Amino acid sequence: MRVHLCVVGRLRAGPEKTLIDDYLTRFDRSGRALGLGPARVVEVEDKKNAGMAAEAALLRKALPKGAVICTLDERGKVISSPDFAQKMAGWRDTCRQDLALIIGGADGIDPSLRAEADFSISFGKMVWPHMLVRVMLAEQIYRAATILGGSPYHRV
Ligand SMILES: C[S@@+](CC[C@H](N)C(=O)[O-])C[C@H]1O[C@@H](n2cnc3c(N)ncnc32)[C@H](O)[C@@H]1O
């Protein structure tokens, strides 16, 4: 199952981008034997600043056909890392080829797109900047692969 981190906005080179690249490389390596990956970042930019609905339209265009859609949203479900790993395995086992993990822009994800999602994950009630959510999400998919692969990276 290919993994697409679909995000609104561009992230310039810097420490967040370096971390994301590192976690995604590690995810690709750990996930390969598990039928997970590769992962890539898909950035969309609403150059006209036309708002959330326009961003949602750009995101929809970027989504692979038939992808499982999972939004990142503070109103979503708070789940543990092992539960997230099981979710990833469950999506993989439904034989859907693509998982799209969507991170919104400054105003969040348009309600119409949120309503279309198969699942929504919250990283807690606090609102985080999208560049940190990207890093946290990249780390969590890597962690999920290590949990499913039985590596000792995840310790509770
Ligand atoms: C700056 S936040 C936008 C917040 C916006 N006011 C809203 O109501 O969604 C940018 C994006 O980061 C992600 N995000 C921020 N905080 C989050 C959290 N606690 N859990 C999950 N995703 C979060 C969401 O995808 C959000 O659309």
Side-chain angles (χ1 to χ4, degrees), residues 37-81:
R40 65 173 187 143
V41 177
V42 183
E43 294 182 320
V44 303
E45 207 171 10
D46 172 26
K47 288 188 182 141
K48 292 181 192 149
N49 246 333
M52 275 194 299
E55 288 171 358
L58 291 171
L59 284 166
R60 278 194 196 91
K61 257 195 220 160
L63 295 176
K65 222 174 171 200
V68 175
I69 298 177
C70 176
T71 52
L72 274 290
D73 191 292
E74 68 268 24
R75 289 150 289 219
K77 201 158 182 221
V78 177
I79 58 172
S80 68
S81 296

Short mmCIF file of all heavy atoms in Angstrom, two decimals, residues 37-81:
data_model
loop_
_atom_site.label_atom_id
_atom_site.label_comp_id
_atom_site.label_asym_id
_atom_site.label_seq_id
_atom_site.Cartn_x
_atom_site.Cartn_y
_atom_site.Cartn_z
N GLY A 37 4.25 1.07 1.83
CA GLY A 37 5.14 2.02 1.19
C GLY A 37 5.25 1.75 -0.31
O GLY A 37 4.63 0.80 -0.81
N PRO A 38 5.98 2.60 -1.03
CA PRO A 38 6.71 3.75 -0.50
C PRO A 38 5.79 4.90 -0.10
O PRO A 38 4.61 4.91 -0.45
CB PRO A 38 7.61 4.16 -1.66
CG PRO A 38 6.89 3.71 -2.89
CD PRO A 38 6.14 2.47 -2.50
N ALA A 39 6.39 5.83 0.62
CA ALA A 39 5.64 7.02 1.04
C ALA A 39 6.18 8.23 0.29
O ALA A 39 7.36 8.30 -0.02
CB ALA A 39 5.81 7.23 2.54
N ARG A 40 5.30 9.16 0.01
CA ARG A 40 5.75 10.40 -0.64
C ARG A 40 4.90 11.55 -0.12
O ARG A 40 3.79 11.34 0.40
CB ARG A 40 5.63 10.30 -2.15
CG ARG A 40 4.20 10.16 -2.61
CD ARG A 40 4.04 10.21 -4.11
NE ARG A 40 2.61 10.24 -4.43
CZ ARG A 40 2.07 10.94 -5.42
NH1 ARG A 40 2.83 11.65 -6.20
NH2 ARG A 40 0.76 10.91 -5.63
N VAL A 41 5.44 12.74 -0.28
CA VAL A 41 4.70 13.94 0.13
C VAL A 41 4.13 14.58 -1.13
O VAL A 41 4.84 14.76 -2.12
CB VAL A 41 5.62 14.94 0.87
CG1 VAL A 41 4.86 16.22 1.21
CG2 VAL A 41 6.20 14.31 2.12
N VAL A 42 2.83 14.88 -1.10
CA VAL A 42 2.19 15.57 -2.22
C VAL A 42 1.75 16.93 -1.70
O VAL A 42 0.90 17.01 -0.80
CB VAL A 42 0.94 14.80 -2.70
CG1 VAL A 42 0.32 15.49 -3.91
CG2 VAL A 42 1.26 13.36 -3.00
N GLU A 43 2.35 17.99 -2.23
CA GLU A 43 1.99 19.33 -1.76
C GLU A 43 1.08 20.01 -2.77
O GLU A 43 1.36 19.97 -3.97
CB GLU A 43 3.26 20.17 -1.57
CG GLU A 43 4.16 19.66 -0.46
CD GLU A 43 5.39 20.55 -0.27
OE1 GLU A 43 5.95 21.03 -1.27
OE2 GLU A 43 5.75 20.77 0.90
N VAL A 44 0.01 20.60 -2.29
CA VAL A 44 -0.82 21.40 -3.19
C VAL A 44 -0.82 22.84 -2.68
O VAL A 44 -0.71 23.07 -1.48
CB VAL A 44 -2.28 20.88 -3.30
CG1 VAL A 44 -2.32 19.43 -3.76
CG2 VAL A 44 -3.04 21.03 -2.00
N GLU A 45 -0.90 23.76 -3.63
CA GLU A 45 -0.85 25.17 -3.24
C GLU A 45 -1.98 25.93 -3.91
O GLU A 45 -2.13 25.86 -5.13
CB GLU A 45 0.51 25.74 -3.66
CG GLU A 45 0.92 26.89 -2.80
CD GLU A 45 2.36 27.32 -3.09
OE1 GLU A 45 2.94 26.84 -4.09
OE2 GLU A 45 2.89 28.14 -2.35
N ASP A 46 -2.75 26.60 -3.09
CA ASP A 46 -3.84 27.41 -3.61
C ASP A 46 -3.29 28.83 -3.81
O ASP A 46 -3.39 29.67 -2.92
CB ASP A 46 -5.00 27.38 -2.60
CG ASP A 46 -6.08 28.36 -2.96
OD1 ASP A 46 -6.21 28.68 -4.16
OD2 ASP A 46 -6.78 28.82 -2.05
N LYS A 47 -2.70 29.05 -5.00
CA LYS A 47 -1.99 30.32 -5.22
C LYS A 47 -2.92 31.52 -5.18
O LYS A 47 -2.50 32.63 -4.90
CB LYS A 47 -1.24 30.27 -6.55
CG LYS A 47 -0.04 29.33 -6.46
CD LYS A 47 0.83 29.40 -7.70
CE LYS A 47 1.97 28.41 -7.55
NZ LYS A 47 2.31 27.71 -8.76
N LYS A 48 -4.20 31.29 -5.48
CA LYS A 48 -5.14 32.43 -5.50
C LYS A 48 -5.71 32.70 -4.11
O LYS A 48 -6.53 33.60 -3.95
CB LYS A 48 -6.28 32.13 -6.47
CG LYS A 48 -5.82 32.11 -7.91
CD LYS A 48 -7.01 31.83 -8.84
CE LYS A 48 -6.52 31.50 -10.23
NZ LYS A 48 -7.40 30.57 -10.94
N ASN A 49 -5.33 31.92 -3.16
CA ASN A 49 -5.85 32.07 -1.79
C ASN A 49 -7.37 32.08 -1.76
O ASN A 49 -8.00 32.92 -1.12
CB ASN A 49 -5.34 33.39 -1.20
CG ASN A 49 -4.41 33.12 -0.04
OD1 ASN A 49 -4.53 32.07 0.61
ND2 ASN A 49 -3.48 34.02 0.20
N ALA A 50 -7.96 31.13 -2.48
CA ALA A 50 -9.42 31.13 -2.64
C ALA A 50 -10.15 30.41 -1.51
O ALA A 50 -11.37 30.26 -1.56
CB ALA A 50 -9.77 30.53 -3.99
N GLY A 51 -9.43 29.93 -0.52
CA GLY A 51 -10.09 29.36 0.65
C GLY A 51 -10.10 27.84 0.69
O GLY A 51 -9.61 27.16 -0.21
N MET A 52 -10.73 27.33 1.77
CA MET A 52 -10.71 25.90 2.04
C MET A 52 -11.34 25.05 0.94
O MET A 52 -10.87 23.95 0.65
CB MET A 52 -11.45 25.61 3.36
CG MET A 52 -10.61 25.77 4.58
SD MET A 52 -11.41 25.02 5.99
CE MET A 52 -12.91 25.94 6.12
N ALA A 53 -12.44 25.55 0.35
CA ALA A 53 -13.11 24.75 -0.68
C ALA A 53 -12.19 24.58 -1.89
O ALA A 53 -12.11 23.48 -2.48
CB ALA A 53 -14.42 25.42 -1.10
N ALA A 54 -11.46 25.65 -2.24
CA ALA A 54 -10.52 25.56 -3.36
C ALA A 54 -9.37 24.62 -3.01
O ALA A 54 -8.91 23.83 -3.85
CB ALA A 54 -9.98 26.95 -3.69
N GLU A 55 -8.92 24.67 -1.76
CA GLU A 55 -7.85 23.75 -1.33
C GLU A 55 -8.35 22.31 -1.41
O GLU A 55 -7.62 21.41 -1.82
CB GLU A 55 -7.43 24.06 0.11
CG GLU A 55 -6.64 25.36 0.25
CD GLU A 55 -6.42 25.76 1.70
OE1 GLU A 55 -6.91 25.07 2.63
OE2 GLU A 55 -5.77 26.80 1.90
N ALA A 56 -9.61 22.11 -0.99
CA ALA A 56 -10.18 20.75 -1.03
C ALA A 56 -10.23 20.24 -2.47
O ALA A 56 -9.95 19.06 -2.73
CB ALA A 56 -11.57 20.75 -0.41
N ALA A 57 -10.56 21.12 -3.41
CA ALA A 57 -10.62 20.71 -4.82
C ALA A 57 -9.23 20.29 -5.29
O ALA A 57 -9.08 19.27 -6.00
CB ALA A 57 -11.17 21.85 -5.67
N LEU A 58 -8.21 21.04 -4.90
CA LEU A 58 -6.83 20.69 -5.30
C LEU A 58 -6.41 19.37 -4.67
O LEU A 58 -5.78 18.52 -5.31
CB LEU A 58 -5.86 21.80 -4.87
CG LEU A 58 -5.98 23.14 -5.61
CD1 LEU A 58 -5.11 24.21 -4.94
CD2 LEU A 58 -5.56 22.99 -7.07
N LEU A 59 -6.78 19.19 -3.40
CA LEU A 59 -6.44 17.93 -2.71
C LEU A 59 -7.12 16.75 -3.40
O LEU A 59 -6.49 15.72 -3.65
CB LEU A 59 -6.84 17.99 -1.24
CG LEU A 59 -5.94 18.83 -0.32
CD1 LEU A 59 -6.61 19.10 1.01
CD2 LEU A 59 -4.61 18.12 -0.09
N ARG A 60 -8.42 16.92 -3.72
CA ARG A 60 -9.16 15.81 -4.37
C ARG A 60 -8.48 15.41 -5.67
O ARG A 60 -8.38 14.24 -6.00
CB ARG A 60 -10.60 16.23 -4.65
CG ARG A 60 -11.50 16.09 -3.45
CD ARG A 60 -12.96 16.18 -3.85
NE ARG A 60 -13.77 16.42 -2.67
CZ ARG A 60 -14.11 17.63 -2.21
NH1 ARG A 60 -13.74 18.71 -2.87
NH2 ARG A 60 -14.84 17.76 -1.11
N LYS A 61 -8.02 16.43 -6.43
CA LYS A 61 -7.35 16.14 -7.71
C LYS A 61 -6.07 15.35 -7.48
O LYS A 61 -5.67 14.54 -8.31
CB LYS A 61 -6.98 17.47 -8.40
CG LYS A 61 -7.92 17.83 -9.53
CD LYS A 61 -7.29 18.92 -10.37
CE LYS A 61 -8.37 19.92 -10.76
NZ LYS A 61 -7.82 21.21 -11.15
N ALA A 62 -5.41 15.62 -6.35
CA ALA A 62 -4.12 14.97 -6.07
C ALA A 62 -4.27 13.56 -5.50
O ALA A 62 -3.31 12.80 -5.45
CB ALA A 62 -3.32 15.84 -5.10
N LEU A 63 -5.50 13.21 -5.08
CA LEU A 63 -5.70 11.90 -4.43
C LEU A 63 -5.72 10.79 -5.47
O LEU A 63 -6.42 10.88 -6.46
CB LEU A 63 -7.04 11.87 -3.69
CG LEU A 63 -7.21 12.82 -2.50
CD1 LEU A 63 -8.63 12.72 -1.94
CD2 LEU A 63 -6.20 12.51 -1.43
N PRO A 64 -4.96 9.70 -5.22
CA PRO A 64 -5.06 8.57 -6.13
C PRO A 64 -6.46 7.98 -6.09
O PRO A 64 -7.10 7.96 -5.02
CB PRO A 64 -4.04 7.58 -5.57
CG PRO A 64 -3.21 8.33 -4.60
CD PRO A 64 -4.02 9.49 -4.13
N LYS A 65 -6.95 7.51 -7.23
CA LYS A 65 -8.30 6.94 -7.31
C LYS A 65 -8.44 5.74 -6.35
O LYS A 65 -7.55 4.89 -6.31
CB LYS A 65 -8.56 6.47 -8.74
CG LYS A 65 -9.91 6.82 -9.21
CD LYS A 65 -10.09 6.50 -10.66
CE LYS A 65 -11.58 6.68 -10.95
NZ LYS A 65 -12.01 6.02 -12.10
N GLY A 66 -9.50 5.72 -5.59
CA GLY A 66 -9.76 4.57 -4.71
C GLY A 66 -8.96 4.57 -3.43
O GLY A 66 -9.01 3.59 -2.67
N ALA A 67 -8.21 5.65 -3.18
CA ALA A 67 -7.37 5.68 -1.97
C ALA A 67 -8.22 5.70 -0.71
O ALA A 67 -9.32 6.26 -0.68
CB ALA A 67 -6.47 6.91 -1.99
N VAL A 68 -7.70 5.05 0.34
CA VAL A 68 -8.27 5.23 1.67
C VAL A 68 -7.94 6.67 2.07
O VAL A 68 -6.80 7.12 1.90
CB VAL A 68 -7.61 4.27 2.69
CG1 VAL A 68 -8.13 4.54 4.10
CG2 VAL A 68 -7.82 2.83 2.30
N ILE A 69 -8.94 7.39 2.56
CA ILE A 69 -8.70 8.79 2.93
C ILE A 69 -8.73 8.92 4.45
O ILE A 69 -9.73 8.57 5.09
CB ILE A 69 -9.74 9.73 2.29
CG1 ILE A 69 -9.63 9.63 0.77
CG2 ILE A 69 -9.53 11.16 2.76
CD1 ILE A 69 -10.66 10.46 0.03
N CYS A 70 -7.64 9.42 4.98
CA CYS A 70 -7.56 9.64 6.43
C CYS A 70 -7.13 11.08 6.65
O CYS A 70 -6.06 11.49 6.17
CB CYS A 70 -6.56 8.66 7.03
SG CYS A 70 -6.31 8.92 8.79
N THR A 71 -7.96 11.84 7.32
CA THR A 71 -7.61 13.24 7.58
C THR A 71 -6.91 13.36 8.93
O THR A 71 -7.13 12.56 9.84
CB THR A 71 -8.86 14.14 7.59
OG1 THR A 71 -9.83 13.57 8.47
CG2 THR A 71 -9.46 14.28 6.21
N LEU A 72 -6.08 14.38 9.03
CA LEU A 72 -5.47 14.74 10.31
C LEU A 72 -6.22 15.97 10.78
O LEU A 72 -6.29 16.97 10.06
CB LEU A 72 -3.98 15.08 10.10
CG LEU A 72 -3.00 13.91 10.14
CD1 LEU A 72 -2.89 13.38 11.57
CD2 LEU A 72 -3.37 12.79 9.22
N ASP A 73 -6.81 15.86 11.96
CA ASP A 73 -7.71 16.93 12.38
C ASP A 73 -7.84 16.86 13.91
O ASP A 73 -8.02 15.77 14.46
CB ASP A 73 -9.08 16.68 11.73
CG ASP A 73 -9.99 17.87 11.89
OD1 ASP A 73 -10.40 18.14 13.04
OD2 ASP A 73 -10.29 18.52 10.89
N GLU A 74 -7.76 18.00 14.54
CA GLU A 74 -7.83 17.97 16.01
C GLU A 74 -9.18 17.46 16.51
O GLU A 74 -9.30 17.06 17.67
CB GLU A 74 -7.49 19.35 16.61
CG GLU A 74 -8.47 20.47 16.37
CD GLU A 74 -8.17 21.28 15.11
OE1 GLU A 74 -7.49 20.75 14.19
OE2 GLU A 74 -8.63 22.43 15.04
N ARG A 75 -10.21 17.46 15.62
CA ARG A 75 -11.52 16.91 16.02
C ARG A 75 -11.64 15.42 15.74
O ARG A 75 -12.68 14.81 15.95
CB ARG A 75 -12.64 17.64 15.25
CG ARG A 75 -12.85 19.07 15.70
CD ARG A 75 -13.35 19.92 14.56
NE ARG A 75 -12.27 20.12 13.59
CZ ARG A 75 -12.04 21.25 12.94
NH1 ARG A 75 -12.84 22.28 13.12
NH2 ARG A 75 -11.04 21.36 12.09
N GLY A 76 -10.56 14.83 15.25
CA GLY A 76 -10.58 13.40 14.91
C GLY A 76 -10.44 12.53 16.14
O GLY A 76 -10.64 12.97 17.28
N LYS A 77 -10.06 11.27 15.90
CA LYS A 77 -9.97 10.30 17.00
C LYS A 77 -8.53 10.23 17.51
O LYS A 77 -7.59 10.15 16.72
CB LYS A 77 -10.41 8.93 16.46
CG LYS A 77 -10.82 8.01 17.54
CD LYS A 77 -11.72 6.91 17.04
CE LYS A 77 -12.10 6.08 18.25
NZ LYS A 77 -12.10 4.69 18.04
N VAL A 78 -8.39 10.29 18.83
CA VAL A 78 -7.06 10.11 19.43
C VAL A 78 -6.82 8.61 19.57
O VAL A 78 -7.62 7.92 20.22
CB VAL A 78 -6.99 10.79 20.82
CG1 VAL A 78 -5.64 10.54 21.48
CG2 VAL A 78 -7.26 12.28 20.71
N ILE A 79 -5.78 8.11 18.93
CA ILE A 79 -5.50 6.66 19.03
C ILE A 79 -4.04 6.45 19.41
O ILE A 79 -3.20 7.32 19.18
CB ILE A 79 -5.85 5.89 17.73
CG1 ILE A 79 -5.10 6.43 16.51
CG2 ILE A 79 -7.33 5.89 17.47
CD1 ILE A 79 -5.26 5.56 15.26
N SER A 80 -3.76 5.26 19.94
CA SER A 80 -2.37 4.94 20.33
C SER A 80 -1.57 4.57 19.07
O SER A 80 -2.15 4.26 18.02
CB SER A 80 -2.38 3.76 21.31
OG SER A 80 -2.80 2.59 20.63
N SER A 81 -0.26 4.56 19.21
CA SER A 81 0.60 4.17 18.08
C SER A 81 0.33 2.71 17.66
O SER A 81 0.22 2.44 16.46
CB SER A 81 2.07 4.37 18.42
OG SER A 81 2.30 5.74 18.62
#
